[in-house]
Structure formats: structure tokens, C-alpha cells
Amino acid sequence: MLQLFDTATQKITPLTMRDPGIVGLYVCGPTVYGPAHVGHGRALLTYDILRRFLEYTGLAVRHVSNITDIDDKIINLARAENRPFLAVAQEWEARWWATMDKMGVLRPTATPHATAYVTEMIDLIASLIDRDFAYATDDGVYLRAGRVPHYGLLSHQSIEDRRAGARVELGEHKEDPIDFVLWKIAKPGEPTWPSPWGEGRPGWHTECVVMSLALLGEGFDLHGGGQDLIFPHHDNERAQATANGQHFARHWMHNGLVTVAGEKMSKSLNNFTTLDELLEHCDPRSYRLLVARAHYRSPLEVNATTIESAASSLARIDALVRRLGEIVPLAPSEEADGLRQRFVTAMENDLDSPSAVAEIFEAVRRANSLSDLGDLAAARALTDMVQELLGALGIEVHGSEVVDSDVADLVARRDLARLDRDFAASDLLRAELEALGWVVEDTPAGTRVHR
RNA sequence: GGCGGCGUGGCCGAGUGGCUUAGGCAAGGGCCUGCAAAGCCCUCUACCCCAGUUCGAUUCUGGGCGCCGCCUCCA
């Protein structure tokens, strides 16, 4: 059974399922007003790997991830571009999915939009007011955070400490600095929805409460996001559900952030690389491997060196499959079963993908070694398992590539030249192939080329 | 200041109270190859500092130094 570090208890505990065999997973999705960057990519890949692994072990995953399509940033951008906020949101959402497709990230099973749940959010806020956990002022509705049992459960910050550091924006009329906004009364020119407290729009945290409970139900299994969401976002989500007397997520996980030269990559620091930029010169599998090679809770250094390192190690796997992919597959071997067991054991230990990946590379070396010794059947069995396990991480291995007839012709001519031991001609043909961007490998089966 | 976390070899990055050569990348040597490529073998640079616990600590405890994240929008 999968054990995961729970942010609330700060302990590694079994991920128990409310409904046996089905994992209900809610991951906070993007506010759509700009390009997805490498930091988003890490989070998305982390949860994609989690989901694929759960499915690999035979579980069904209900994976809900929201799209925040109403927000100050979106409004500001829409104003700057002089178009409706929804046009901004829809454009960037489309780009978001296009990038995720390129990254090989599976679509969540549901992607609710905040604007589609405003009515439900108003109902929740009204209920919170009824329960005396929220109050309306002339600028909005606020949650009495100090009344919520265990407020700060996830950030492990006491209410007193939180109060000492809290800020109040100009124009906010709160009872207590730590209270947070549930409904914002609209300023002129802002998009609005009608509500009992005046025309306005929901605050940031409410949508995730409403949508996770609507789609996954009370006491759903797992709630995730980046570590930078622990406070205020997730503490404030939990506060609302708790104040409303509802069981919320039973387990919380948070992925570590991407760093650049040791500093957090973020929009506000403006040190980010977008995923689209990354993918211009990087195989999406390389970034996925880089992510999987680090533990999900650790910071991850992303730069040209670490990406190239991942790309090189990926090439090693592709080479193995080129070498053994054409041999007739055989029944699974004991050695391959052992590999799978070690892989699963590693992954079940708080998603220890670095150790799981290390097992895979150990098997790659072993398979090459077996192949060198001539035990092709054993090598092939291991190679098949390597491919299967990489598949569980979402990495598809590239074996032999299809070549066009011109290239095939050069390859055939080179084989003939080598058969005649005409090495001068053979080297010229290799140079021609290399000039076309192919890497040439001589094998017992003849010349083989790959990109 | 409060809270959370981290300091491992050239780089990335796991792990453990006493042989893990973790793994990957890079580097050097060898084998293989017509030459390459791929592969295999070998080598190298480690556990921030200081005390303590212990037969023994990189791993446990305490202190110090340094770093990162959150406390404000953020994956």
C-alpha cells in the first residue's frame, strides 16, 4: 500500500481510501492568465506520476483539478488588453492544455471551472454566515479564521503567530487581520455576480472547497498542490470546510518547488522558464525523468546542466531498447519480477521515485551486461520490464525509428560496403548519414541509425 | 521575528548506526570495434563545523554556521 507524507500530521502514513479501490485526488490547478512554467510542470508531472503509478498498481483514480478562470490577475490582464476576462481565461486555458499535452500529462478526469460554481460558492458562504463563521462588511464577506478549530493545521502556525504577521490591505474591513475574504464586493468595471451581499465575485479559496466536495464528496482521499499553496490557500480551504461542518481531505501532499541557482522559480521573481520554451530544445521525457529522479518533496534544481544530464541518461535507455527491442519477447523472468517488486516497494515508500529510477538504471546495466554475455532472453525480459516500469512513470521508450527510403538506401549501401570491407566507402556513407542528423551504430545485425 | 525544511563526492540526487561501490551526468583508464557508436569493467572527488550518546555516527541528541521555503499572488 502506498505510504505518503501527510502535511497535516507531518508523518508518512498509509493512503487509505474512502471507497476501496478508488482514489479521490484533488490537485489545485492553474489560474489561467499566462504561460505554464517549469515550476508548474514539476507539479503537474509529480501528480501525473502519482496517478499513473496508482493506476499501474490496479487502482482507479478520480483526478479532479480546477481551472481558476476568475481572479484579479485575469481581470487586470483583460483590462490591459481591453477584452472580456473570459476571453483571457479561455485563451490561456487552451494554451495550458496544449502545453500539458506536449508534456505527456494525462488530463484530469474532471476540470471544473470556478465560474461554473459561483452559485454553489454563494450557498457555502451563506451557510458559513448562518453558522456564525463568516460576516459581511461593506467591502465583502470574511471568514472568522480565529474561530476555526486547528486553524493553521497545515502550515503549523499558531493563530497568535499568524496574527502577528498578518497584513490588512487598504479598504479591507475585517474584524481580525487573519480573517480572509470569501466574497469581494465589485469595484466599478469588474465582472460581477449577484449575491445577497451585493454584486461581486468569490474570493480565491472558496472554489476549491466547493468543487472538490461537489465532485469527490466529503472525506475525499488526497488533496495536493505545490508547497507554496500550503498557506494561505490550503489552510483557508480546510478552514471553510471545517467551519461548515464538512469532512475535507483526509490526506494532504505538497510537492517541492523548482529552484534556479538555489532560488525558487516563480512568476513574482521573474526567473521562470516557460514549458514551451523548455520544450523547444528538450525532449519532454527528459524533464519528466529529471522530475522523477528527485524526491517530490525536495527542491529541484532545473538548469541546462541538469536537463542535459537527464537527457543523456534517457538516451541510455533508448539505446538499450534499440539493442534488444527486436528480439522475440519471452515470458517474464524472475529477475524481471524482482525488479518490479523493488520498483513498487520504492514508489510505495512516499513515492521514492529516485530509488525507483535507480532500480531501473541498475536493470539497464544488467540487461546490457546479460546481452554482452549472450543471454539475450534474460536481457530481453529485463528490458521489457524496464519499459513497463518507465511506462508507469509516464516515460515512453523510443526504440528503433522509422527511416525514409533515402536513408534506408544509404544504410543498405553502407552494409554492402562493410561486407566488402571497403571501409573508405563505409566511412563516407556514415559521414553522409551523420550529416543528415543520424547517429550510426554498427551491430551484428548490420548498420542501425537513430536520431 | 514565527513556522517548515535542508546542508552528501565536479554536478544532479537517494539512503543508512558498523560492506549501500544508491542511481544518473561529467572525467580518467581498460575491453570490445576496421575506425566509430552503443555497451561492459575499473578508477576518482562525500557525507558543513563543534561537542555528546555509542564498542562504533554521514546516519541519534545538543549547540554553531550557512542556505531555502512559507508568513503577500504563486505549482
Side-chain angles (χ1 to χ4, degrees):
Chain A
M1 172 179 271
L2 177 63
Q3 310 256 340
L4 278 179
F5 183 89
D6 183 356
T7 308
T9 61
Q10 297 181 290
K11 289 193 174 64
I12 294 175
T13 53
L15 179 68
T16 56
M17 278 148 270
R18 184 191 60 198
D19 307 315
I22 305 171
V23 178
L25 167 68
Y26 187 90
V27 181
C28 284
T31 301
V32 278
Y33 68 98
H37 62 65
V38 169
H40 296 116
R42 185 198 187 176
L44 271 290
L45 288 169
T46 297
Y47 294 102
D48 191 60
I49 288 168
L50 169 67
R51 172 179 168 184
R52 288 175 190 264
F53 175 70
L54 290 169
E55 289 174 346
Y56 178 72
T57 60
L59 296 164
V61 180
R62 294 169 67 195
H63 174 195
V64 180
S65 193
N66 62 295
I67 296 289
T68 300
D69 56 355
I70 177 65
D71 165 275
D72 287 355
K73 298 263 172 60
I74 296 173
I75 293 170
N76 291 340
L77 184 58
R79 189 171 288 148
E81 297 181 348
N82 194 29
R83 55 177 176 156
F85 82 93
L86 214 49
V88 169
Q90 284 169 352
E91 179 196 330
W92 284 106
E93 181 185 347
R95 293 207 203 181
W96 174 272
W97 293 125
T99 302
M100 289 309 136
D101 288 348
K102 280 196 280 183
M103 293 291 296
V105 170
L106 296 172
R107 295 283 177 107
T109 51
T111 56
H113 292 66
T115 52
Y117 281 84
V118 175
T119 306
E120 289 85 347
M121 287 192 250
I122 288 170
D123 290 346
L124 170 62
I125 294 166
S127 172
L128 289 169
I129 291 175
D130 283 348
R131 299 171 69 95
D132 206 27
F133 274 101
Y135 56 92
T137 68
D138 59 358
D139 64 311
V141 179
Y142 292 90
L143 190 96
R144 289 193 174 96
R147 284 203 57 202
V148 176
H150 307 293
Y151 183 66
L153 180 77
L154 302 173
S155 56
H156 305 283
Q157 210 45 38
S158 73
I159 288 171
E160 294 70 38
D161 291 338
R162 189 61 79 193
R163 204 167 266 144
R167 295 182 206 177
V168 179
E169 299 291 324
L170 279 175
E172 280 187 330
H173 299 127
K174 302 177 178 180
E175 291 178 357
D176 186 330
I178 62 170
D179 292 349
F180 59 90
V181 68
L182 302 174
W183 186 262
K184 297 182 178 185
I185 302 294
K187 301 187 187 78
E190 292 181 342
T192 65
W193 287 259
S195 88
W197 318 285
E199 293 275 322
R201 64 193 144 90
W204 175 33
H205 315 298
T206 305
E207 62 177 282
C208 288
V209 181
V210 164
M211 298 192 291
S212 60
L213 290 173
L215 294 167
L216 294 172
E218 280 196 53
F220 64 91
D221 299 313
L222 180 59
H223 192 132
Q227 282 174 347
D228 51 358
L229 292 182
I230 293 172
F231 188 89
H233 188 48
H234 286 167
D235 262 331
N236 287 352
E237 283 184 40
R238 180 194 157 275
Q240 289 173 73
T242 302
N244 204 39
Q246 291 177 289
H247 293 293
F248 204 49
R250 298 187 306 144
H251 200 111
W252 294 85
M253 72 179 273
H254 292 93
N255 61 277
L257 306 178
V258 167
T259 60
V260 180
E263 293 269 303
K264 170 188 172 184
M265 174 179 288
S266 76
K267 291 179 193 169
S268 48
L269 289 175
N270 204 33
N271 62 346
F272 64 89
T273 303
T274 70
L275 285 172
D276 288 341
E277 286 164 353
L278 179 79
L279 292 174
E280 281 172 17
H281 50 82
C282 168
D283 185 333
R285 303 178 305 151
S286 295
Y287 189 44
R288 185 179 285 262
L289 183 60
L290 182 63
V291 166
R293 233 170 47 170
H295 188 86
Y296 75 92
R297 285 191 282 121
S298 301
L300 174 66
E301 183 67 25
V302 178
N303 57 48
T305 306
T306 60
I307 291 200
E308 282 162 19
S309 161
S312 298
S313 53
L314 187 63
R316 198 171 143 71
I317 291 167
D318 285 341
L320 173 70
V321 173
R322 274 199 309 278
R323 185 180 189 186
L324 290 163
E326 288 146 29
I327 297 165
V328 179
L330 291 149
S333 66
E334 262 182 46
E335 196 168 5
D337 284 344
L339 167 61
R340 171 167 42 203
Q341 276 172 25
R342 291 193 302 278
F343 175 90
V344 169
T345 299
M347 290 294 282
E348 287 186 332
N349 177 24
D350 194 25
L351 222 57
D352 186 2
S353 56
S355 294
V357 168
E359 291 292 347
I360 288 174
F361 279 101
E362 191 65 29
V364 169
R365 186 196 55 73
R366 174 75 178 147
N368 274 311
S369 192
L370 285 166
S371 185
D372 284 350
L373 294 169
D375 191 350
L376 297 181
R380 176 60 200 257
L382 263 185
T383 302
D384 282 358
M385 184 54 66
V386 163
Q387 286 195 83
E388 177 177 320
L389 298 177
L390 285 166
L393 300 175
I395 296 173
E396 188 186 331
V397 183
H398 294 173
S400 300
E401 293 177 59
V402 180
V403 299
D404 62 36
S405 58
D406 290 349
V407 173
D409 183 53
L410 289 170
V411 167
R413 282 163 56 198
R414 183 156 187 278
D415 278 337
L416 283 176
R418 293 190 69 237
L419 214 57
D420 292 341
R421 302 192 68 76
D422 182 354
F423 297 122
S426 133
D427 287 350
L428 279 173
L429 287 161
R430 174 165 59 200
E432 265 191 75
L433 284 162
E434 284 173 350
L436 292 169
W438 295 92
V439 178
V440 179
E441 288 178 1
D442 295 334
T443 76
T447 294
R448 181 180 289 152
V449 295
H450 68 95
R451 289 287 183 191

